[in-house]
Amino acid sequence: LSEPGGQVNRKKARLKYRAVYQFPESTHNFIKNLMKGFCLHVCSGSSLLGDIRLDLDLQKVQKNKPGFIIGDQFHLPFQNEKFDTVICDPVWNMPYHVRHKLIYQLRDMTKYEGILIFNSLWIPKIRCMKHQDVFVGLNNMAFRNVSLISVYKKVQSQFNF
């Protein structure tokens, strides 16, 4: 390939492809133990956690598995307060100005006294939900982001504030 000025780029870029993100096995098992009842997993990628799994694209592992729906995390196609557990592992570099929209979508899907399990680099404060706990996924690498798994319990219906 030529660069501007007619010189040839001798570097040969090699791309490695892999399946869309899935929790490491230890994180998967940890979250599975927190789940209860009918479960929605938003931004599921290749994960098979949850009764209903929603993501932008169908991954190979999801193809023949019941419960997968193609959808947008900001426009969830479900009735409010339908799920006992809602799990979400959003894009970690999500812009600040849209984070609240996602959080309130997830809150609205969670039943009264249901739980929201949120894996991200930020810990949101959510109206009508009590922050139960935060778990830090430590790793053995010198420099790497850690996973913060926040667990919330819905203490008030969004229709009663």
Side-chain angles (χ1 to χ4, degrees), residues 45-160:
S46 296
S47 175
L48 296 177
L49 279 176
D51 299 298
I52 304 292
R53 298 171 310 283
L54 180 134
D55 208 304
L56 285 174
D57 293 310
L58 176 66
Q59 300 303 309
K60 186 177 178 181
V61 71
Q62 301 280 11
K63 197 168 195 172
N64 297 317
K65 304 284 190 224
F68 180 80
I69 297 172
I70 292 177
D72 179 358
Q73 65 190 348
F74 295 111
H75 302 95
L76 298 175
F78 310 107
Q79 69 184 30
N80 288 342
E81 298 190 340
K82 181 174 180 152
F83 299 95
D84 300 299
T85 301
V86 176
I87 302 167
C88 187
D89 183 22
V91 176
W92 287 11
N93 63 350
M94 182 181 293
Y96 291 107
H97 70 282
V98 295
R99 291 179 182 182
H100 71 282
K101 185 174 182 180
L102 172 63
I103 282 298
Y104 291 127
Q105 283 278 302
L106 300 173
R107 178 208 60 195
D108 292 351
M109 296 299 110
T110 308
K111 284 182 181 177
Y112 171 69
E113 295 194 348
I115 61 170
L116 169 61
I117 302 168
F118 193 70
N119 183 40
S120 69
L121 292 176
W122 67 91
I123 301 173
K125 184 173 181 180
I126 310 170
R127 187 175 185 182
C128 302
M129 299 197 91
K130 182 179 180 188
H131 195 237
Q132 298 286 101
D133 224 331
V134 69
F135 300 93
V136 180
L138 302 174
N139 60 64
N140 59 358
M141 300 178 79
F143 295 99
R144 183 156 181 183
N145 288 338
V146 296
S147 168
L148 297 175
I149 298 176
S150 295
V151 180
Y152 299 84
K153 181 176 183 179
K154 192 164 189 179
V155 294
Q156 182 180 355
S157 172
Q158 69 263 23
F159 303 111
N160 296 328

